[in-house]
Amino acid sequence: LTAAAYLAAAGRRVTVVDRGYAPGGHGSVFTRGGFEFDIGLHYLGSTREGTPATQPLLDPLGIDVTYLPLNPTDTVVLADGGRFEVPRGLDAFRAALHAALPEERGLDEYLGTIDAIDALAMQLNARPALGEIPATLRRSGVVLRHARDTVEEYWDNLGLSARARTLLGWLQGTYAVPPSEASLLFHALISMHYINGAWYPQGGGAVISQRLAEVVTSNGGQFLLRHDVTQITVEHGRVTGVVATDPDGATVTVPTAAVVAAGDIKHTILDLLDPAGVPRKLQQTVRGYEMALPLAVLYLVIDRDLGAEGLPPTNYCVYPDDDLQGEYARARRGEFSAQPAVFISSASLKDRDNPRLCPPGHTNLQLMTVAPPQPSSWGLAVGTQRGEAYHAAKDELSRRMLTTADRALPGLSDSVVYSD
């Protein structure tokens, strides 16, 4: 959608083909039961200067968004009931970690490493000036030393405790890959993105997508919504068009010389493109990719105003134990955790004046946890949908997620008036 807006603003003829009801994919919302829920945009991180990370992308397009700060960014609820608030800024984060883990060694080295990785990425993106080259080279050495490290390998080298790993890996649900497989470089970028500060767009999770869509249409672009792309056509090694089906099942062809595909990479490379037009080595590489674990999401409205009760605009990461690796191993095996780790996001706490979220005196929340990817774990065979076993599995997982969430927000499960 961002690419479409830039291309349209640059004078290109743009068509956006989207199977959704509204532009933006995960950066949009849905309404059910009279309540508006975010799909995937629960909060945004910051630049190294502490400003909203998305705004530099939007400024050249003339898009202005009001961002509401989260403070603390996240609140981690630990197995023993202790709480750790993630403050805004690296120095404040370092001080909070030392206060929470006074005997822990290796914290400063860890923070120095992820900061150097993030700084190098930003410098390379901006193309360093002549005077910045020595610092860039120093940071390059740090990155090269850790280029192949997983998060767990680096933590092992530092001798970090299980509690420290929980606090330093509090964002692991963002990418849903266990520490033993997650790239330290990628983990560093995600962590610094939120350590530098977090924000929520006023008006809800669809605001940015709506503004981008307006740029597309105001510059002559068009949207084909509820259209499912079935093929990207290629002739003589060059893209020639996109084939899609409309809501009635009719075939629609869009001629084009260029396609920006934002769908799943395996589906795009292996299904939408003719194999004859894709280099064999690329096919083999993509075929070997494995998805991260899925997230199960429970959408809730409760008949309590958590903001009026004094809760700050923050998210909650609730960990019933300090075994991040075990949580992922169970899900990979197709097992539902007896006490799942749960991430709690509340649009009501972040955007208190949004009337579409829920009535006064209520709170709109979402609970998320990693979940088994196997259909059989949900009482399903491949190609089937729903059924009693499926609903029973969802109900049981919902109950377990609520039990975990009660540790962060006591009485939550007794206050639910809407659940999906």
Side-chain angles (χ1 to χ4, degrees):
L1 190 55
T2 307
Y6 268 89
L7 290 166
R12 299 292 182 131
R13 290 192 301 161
V14 173
T15 297
V16 180
V17 187
D18 195 324
R19 72 186 306 177
Y21 288 83
H26 279 135
S28 57
V29 298
F30 70 92
T31 301
R32 195 164 294 167
F35 310 111
E36 181 180 281
F37 294 103
D38 293 328
I39 294 178
L41 200 160
H42 303 107
Y43 63 149
L44 299 160
S46 292
T47 65
R48 290 183 63 79
E49 293 72 37
T51 57
T54 48
Q55 201 52 45
L57 290 172
L58 304 179
D59 282 338
L61 297 171
I63 295 175
D64 186 29
V65 174
T66 299
Y67 297 92
L68 304 169
L70 276 65
N71 197 11
T73 294
D74 290 302
T75 300
V76 183
V77 181
L78 296 156
D80 60 5
R83 298 194 175 208
F84 176 79
E85 294 184 344
V86 179
R88 299 172 67 88
L90 182 60
D91 290 340
F93 184 58
R94 178 183 290 106
L97 283 173
H98 280 296
L101 303 164
E103 306 299 322
E104 198 78 35
R105 297 183 178 181
L107 294 177
D108 289 333
E109 182 176 341
Y110 167 82
L111 294 175
T113 296
I114 66 170
D115 183 42
I117 292 169
D118 182 65
L120 178 64
M122 297 306 107
Q123 277 192 341
L124 293 178
N125 188 51
R127 298 182 181 177
L130 189 61
E132 297 172 335
I133 289 178
T136 301
L137 292 174
R138 285 195 299 274
R139 292 186 179 114
S140 298
V142 173
V143 173
L144 290 171
R145 283 200 304 275
H146 299 291
R148 293 184 176 273
D149 284 357
T150 66
V151 173
E152 185 174 63
E153 286 169 343
Y154 187 52
W155 286 347
D156 286 346
N157 290 337
L158 294 177
L160 297 178
S161 66
R163 191 180 186 91
R165 296 174 191 226
T166 298
L167 295 185
L168 299 178
W170 95 96
L171 281 168
Q172 43 79 28
T174 304
Y175 47 80
V177 176
S180 61
E181 299 174 23
S183 157
L184 177 64
L185 302 187
F186 182 74
H187 169 83
L189 297 178
I190 291 289
S191 298
M192 290 300 300
H193 182 71
Y194 289 105
I195 289 171
N196 289 325
W199 310 84
Y200 185 79
Q202 187 174 46
V207 166
I208 293 174
S209 294
Q210 290 167 354
R211 303 279 169 81
L212 288 167
E214 290 166 4
V215 172
V216 173
T217 55
S218 66
N219 285 280
Q222 66 172 337
F223 284 85
L224 299 180
L225 298 174
R226 299 177 61 201
H227 282 61
D228 199 4
V229 174
T230 58
Q231 184 183 9
I232 300 171
T233 57
V234 178
E235 294 180 9
H236 308 298
R238 298 186 65 84
V239 167
T240 58
V242 166
V243 180
T245 54
D246 69 12
D248 298 321
T251 298
V252 177
T253 300
V254 183
T256 182
V259 172
V260 177
D264 171 60
I265 191 169
K266 293 187 82 165
H267 179 58
T268 300
I269 299 294
L270 303 178
D271 300 332
L272 298 184
L273 288 167
D274 183 345
V278 181
R280 183 172 299 177
K281 186 174 181 180
L282 176 59
Q283 291 185 50
Q284 291 174 342
T285 299
V286 172
R287 194 168 281 116
Y289 289 164
E290 181 179 339
M291 286 283 275
L293 284 169
L295 299 180
V297 186
L298 183 59
Y299 299 92
L300 301 175
V301 173
I302 62 173
D303 59 359
R304 290 166 54 189
D305 186 341
L306 296 182
E309 293 178 18
L311 271 67
T314 188
N315 304 300
Y316 294 89
C317 306
V318 192
Y319 293 104
D321 57 45
D322 288 327
D323 185 16
L324 298 181
Q325 193 66 33
E327 183 89 1
Y328 286 92
R330 287 187 290 272
R332 281 271 178 84
R333 291 195 300 266
E335 301 171 9
F336 291 98
S337 179
Q339 299 183 76
V342 171
F343 174 79
I344 306 172
S345 172
S346 173
S348 295
L349 287 175
K350 301 167 191 172
D351 191 10
R352 297 193 61 181
D353 296 326
N354 187 342
R356 299 185 303 278
L357 298 174
C358 55
H362 292 65
T363 301
N364 179 312
L365 303 110
Q366 290 161 56
L367 314 186
M368 285 157 265
T369 189
V370 293
Q374 300 92 333
S376 59
S377 299
W378 300 85
L380 297 170
V382 174
T384 64
Q385 294 184 31
R386 309 193 178 186
E388 290 185 10
Y390 173 62
H391 289 295
K394 289 209 300 183
D395 289 344
E396 177 59 22
L397 180 58
S398 298
R399 185 190 67 78
R400 296 182 188 184
M401 291 170 71
L402 281 167
T403 299
T404 296
D406 275 337
R407 297 179 58 247
L409 304 170
L412 174 69
S413 56
D414 296 326
S415 308
V416 175
V417 295
Y418 178 85
S419 174
D420 187 4

